[in-house]
Amino acid sequence: MKMCHSEVIKYIKELESKKHVLLRHESSNCRYTYQEEDAKIVPEYSYAKTRKAVDLLDTKIRKLRHALAVANTTVMVDEFNVTLGEALVMLAQYQNKCELLEDMSSRQQISQRSSYSGKMEITCCNYDVVTALKDYENLRLVINRLQVAIDRANLTNYVEVEV
């Protein structure tokens, strides 16, 4: 069956959610405690069935992730002329850089404060804060364009998967 990348990503999340529910059920029901033999209530649970169900979900998830990984090495993000995989790495790098620039652009070029000894302490940025702010704002725009380009690639490219 052919699915666009976004559909595969959502399907993986659904399978992982099912696995989480199974494991949570297992955790709650794999043991029981009782004091009197007459009051013993054994929860419905099967170790073998649970392992089989989890293994089946893991296999499906693994195959779907592999199909996406292969596609990510070949599908191009046109506006940026990189593969989808590179674009995802680029996005993470840009977001880290953006955090740094946001911090640097929020500082005052020159600031002063009183030190513990009572003397005036002056701190100067060794860079132009206004330039850092412009770079931050420009990078935010690039990040937005890159996110849209990634979304577009995920919606318009298809992979063959077994469901």
Side-chain angles (χ1 to χ4, degrees), residues 140-153:
R140 286 293 329 143
L141 295 173
V142 171
I143 287 172
N144 289 338
R145 283 189 4 251
L146 181 57
Q147 287 173 325
V148 168
I150 290 170
D151 289 346
R152 187 177 300 116

Side-chain angles (χ1 to χ4, degrees), residues 14-24 54 57-58 61:
E14 179 61 30
L15 293 175
E16 286 174 342
S17 177
K18 286 181 180 181
K19 178 181 170 183
H20 176 74
V21 168
L22 268 174
L23 293 174
R24 195 173 60 219
V54 168
L57 288 169
D58 280 343
I61 291 168

